[in-house]
Amino acid sequence: MKTRVAVLLSGRGSNLEALIEAGQDAYEIVLVASNVEDAPGLAIAHAAGIATFAHAHQGLKRAEFDALIDAQLRAQDVEAVALAGYMRILSEGFVEGWAGRMLNIHPSLLPLYKGLDTHARAIEAGDHFAGCSVHIVTTGLDDGPVIAQARVPIMPWDTPDTLAARVLIEEHRLYPRALAEYVRML
Ligand code: GRF
């Protein structure tokens, strides 16, 4: 049986696309939900015939908004959640409700560079390597146990954008594999 997965996103959706295209036999993406009503990632879901839910978070308390998302996940019998560029801090209640069943991909070699502007910070620090991490979501920002990582070299001529592009290629390889391996253990 494939694990029923929901993807939460706020933007472009290239990781969603990778998760769909990898065509893993371990999971099935049954819902894509977003806090941004015109997130380009929603169009990727539509094109793949995946159900979507989009609702702006503005005007709602964090816990109220998360309860809306949670109701959608429960209605679709979702068993695991994959955050893929979901630019919203989750309420404690939501995180606890999905404890051990929610993953995130973060564009750094965690525990380095939690939060934003990871590539600029890695370049600024003079690091020789950057990368991406898949981790279990806990209440601390980008803080849960890391289950998979990939690294790339930082070239002397890199800008945050060129480095981001190199890391993104690895994200697209890493996330489907890590998600598939993880849901097999649930
Ligand atoms: C990725 O770099 C991911 O690591 C980070 O947000 C970005 C989302 O990109 N959490 P996309 O929407 O999947 O293209």
Side-chain angles (χ1 to χ4, degrees), residues 130-158:
C132 49
S133 308
V134 176
H135 68 94
I136 300 168
V137 177
T138 57
T139 48
L141 179 69
D142 301 324
D143 196 38
V146 172
I147 62 162
Q149 247 173 4
R151 63 181 207 164
V152 301
I154 299 179
M155 302 306 200
W157 52 84
D158 266 328

Side-chain angles (χ1 to χ4, degrees), residues 9-16 83-87 104-108 119 132 167-168 171-172:
L9 55 74
S10 305
R12 183 174 59 177
S14 71
N15 276 289
L16 167 67
L83 306 182
Y86 189 61
M87 303 303 287
N104 180 41
I105 184 151
H106 183 71
S108 79
H119 305 302
C132 49
V167 171
L168 194 63
E171 293 187 36
H172 296 163

Side-chain angles (χ1 to χ4, degrees), residues 103-119:
L103 299 182
N104 180 41
I105 184 151
H106 183 71
S108 79
L109 295 172
L110 290 173
L112 293 175
Y113 313 126
K114 296 173 182 176
L116 298 175
D117 300 324
T118 55
H119 305 302

Side-chain angles (χ1 to χ4, degrees), residues 5-183:
V5 169
V7 174
L8 305 191
L9 55 74
S10 305
R12 183 174 59 177
S14 71
N15 276 289
L16 167 67
E17 198 163 23
L19 290 171
I20 296 170
E21 278 175 5
Q24 296 285 348
D25 53 14
Y27 64 81
E28 180 188 1
I29 299 171
V30 295
L31 177 69
V32 174
S34 183
N35 62 320
V36 177
E37 285 165 312
D38 58 355
L42 292 168
I44 294 171
H46 285 143
I50 298 169
T52 61
F53 173 77
H55 196 294
H57 61 260
Q58 285 85 353
L60 289 177
K61 293 202 176 101
R62 194 174 298 283
E64 282 169 1
F65 181 77
D66 286 357
L68 278 183
I69 301 277
D70 190 65
Q72 296 293 320
L73 303 184
R74 306 287 174 193
Q76 294 278 359
D77 294 321
V78 164
E79 298 165 290
V81 178
L83 306 182
Y86 189 61
M87 303 303 287
R88 184 121 182 100
I89 292 175
L90 295 163
S91 57
E92 262 182 49
F94 185 89
V95 173
E96 277 157 16
W98 291 95
R101 295 186 163 266
M102 181 155 54
L103 299 182
N104 180 41
I105 184 151
H106 183 71
S108 79
L109 295 172
L110 290 173
L112 293 175
Y113 313 126
K114 296 173 182 176
L116 298 175
D117 300 324
T118 55
H119 305 302
R121 288 155 69 200
I123 292 170
E124 176 70 20
D127 293 354
H128 295 291
F129 290 95
C132 49
S133 308
V134 176
H135 68 94
I136 300 168
V137 177
T138 57
T139 48
L141 179 69
D142 301 324
D143 196 38
V146 172
I147 62 162
Q149 247 173 4
R151 63 181 207 164
V152 301
I154 299 179
M155 302 306 200
W157 52 84
D158 266 328
T159 65
D161 285 349
T162 60
L163 180 57
R166 190 174 311 117
V167 171
L168 194 63
I169 292 169
E170 295 306 320
E171 293 187 36
H172 296 163
R173 290 187 184 133
L174 187 71
Y175 208 4
R177 224 175 49 221
L179 178 63
E181 274 171 25
Y182 191 76
V183 299

